[in-house]
Amino acid sequence: MADQQQRDFEQRTLGIIGGMSWESTESYYRLINEGIKHQLGGLHSADLMIYSVDFAAINELQEQGQWDELGTIMASSTQRLQAAGVQGIMIASNTMHKLFDNVAAVTALPLIHIADATIEAIKKQNLTTVVLLGTQFTMTQDFYKQHLIDAGLQVLIPEQDARVEVHRVIKKELCVGEFKDSSREYYRQVIKDLAAQGAEGVILGCTEIGLLIKETDSPIPVFDTTAIHAAAAVEFLLNQ
């Protein structure tokens, strides 16, 4: 009986490419461990390995459009985690899923895609039209938005000036741990405006936005990608 209980508590080991930013990676660590504790109880915690990059270098390369170099960094991070013995990998960033294929190219391990997990959560609520908030890259480029569209969702994004401000708040405030009431109110208004255009839900498509915006800040359902991705990690760890 004791042996059976031990097998029931066995986890797989998950590798996380984090540090983009460390503020949101901290949220991942907390949420995943809370999920494991909820499932297993007692003193159980998550079997994780985190490879945390220097976000200053990552951000500079993003702004310069040096995605090939970023792809090399992501591939190297993946290989380091694989060499350490992880059994699956996740990228703790929406924007860096632009380089998901670079990760997939260097490992046969299971990969937990943040947009796939988010799509599943949206479809469970039978919604079809959603707002996508995130960095300029995430809101405008096909690597993420098209992923949602291919799943049958209609995606609304803010107009250009609002996109610039949403991006600025992420990079200049949230990623350095600043949470201003004025920025929260700005995001609330952006969501309200797009809800008036027919949006049924809002994707917090940057892992930092959930540090600022909560369900109570929105007139429509909120899909916090950090929380959703962390829940998918718990399922992976427990092999569910």
Side-chain angles (χ1 to χ4, degrees):
M1 182 65 176
D3 288 344
Q4 178 61 47
Q5 289 178 334
Q6 180 63 39
R7 285 196 296 272
D8 288 345
F9 291 155
E10 286 178 359
Q11 296 181 50
R12 292 190 284 189
T13 303
L14 178 63
I16 301 176
I17 305 175
M20 304 170 290
S21 65
W22 70 259
E23 282 85 358
S24 64
T25 302
E26 181 182 40
S27 295
Y28 269 92
Y29 185 74
R30 174 179 55 80
L31 289 167
I32 294 171
N33 276 289
E34 286 175 351
I36 291 296
K37 183 176 181 179
H38 177 74
Q39 291 289 330
L40 300 182
L43 297 177
H44 287 286
S45 56
D47 190 343
L48 300 174
M49 294 185 185
I50 301 174
Y51 182 76
S52 186
V53 300
D54 180 359
F55 190 49
I58 296 293
N59 181 67
E60 184 175 354
L61 291 170
Q62 287 179 351
E63 298 300 330
Q64 293 174 352
Q66 299 294 321
W67 295 102
D68 287 344
E69 188 169 348
L70 284 164
T72 299
I73 292 170
M74 295 299 287
S76 174
S77 301
T78 302
Q79 290 169 325
R80 291 184 182 206
L81 286 169
Q82 183 168 268
V86 303
Q87 295 165 284
I89 291 174
M90 68 192 307
I91 304 168
S93 163
N94 285 273
T95 297
M96 294 301 278
H97 273 70
K98 179 178 173 71
L99 303 166
F100 185 85
D101 290 345
N102 296 75
V103 170
V106 296
T107 184
L109 293 175
L111 306 177
I112 307 173
H113 197 296
I114 196 167
D116 288 340
T118 302
I119 289 165
E120 183 177 350
I122 292 167
K123 292 199 166 184
K124 282 181 179 177
Q125 294 198 31
N126 297 314
L127 306 184
T128 59
T129 304
V130 291
V131 175
L132 174 60
L133 300 181
T135 62
Q136 284 274 27
F137 315 112
T138 299
M139 289 188 289
T140 62
Q141 296 182 14
D142 284 347
F143 76 92
Y144 201 97
K145 185 170 66 172
Q146 191 62 46
H147 206 82
L148 302 172
I149 292 169
D150 289 345
L153 298 173
Q154 182 178 350
V155 181
L156 304 182
I157 61 174
E159 49 84 24
Q160 183 175 354
D161 289 347
R163 291 199 303 271
V164 170
E165 180 62 8
V166 167
H167 180 93
R168 187 200 66 79
V169 169
I170 291 167
K171 290 299 187 76
K172 301 298 184 181
E173 297 177 16
L174 306 185
C175 286
V176 294
E178 293 184 6
F179 310 105
K180 298 180 179 179
D181 289 340
S182 58
S183 296
R184 182 177 295 106
E185 186 56 39
Y186 188 87
Y187 272 61
R188 285 172 174 169
Q189 189 60 52
V190 169
I191 296 168
K192 182 178 178 181
D193 291 345
L194 288 166
Q197 296 178 32
E200 302 166 312
V202 56
I203 299 171
L204 307 185
C206 177
T207 53
E208 284 79 26
I209 299 178
L211 298 170
L212 181 71
I213 296 298
K214 307 301 180 185
E215 191 80 38
T216 54
D217 294 307
S218 173
I220 51 179
V222 168
F223 296 90
D224 181 347
T225 54
T226 303
I228 291 168
H229 209 197
V234 172
E235 291 184 3
F236 173 85
L237 286 164
L238 299 178
N239 197 21
Q240 294 177 338

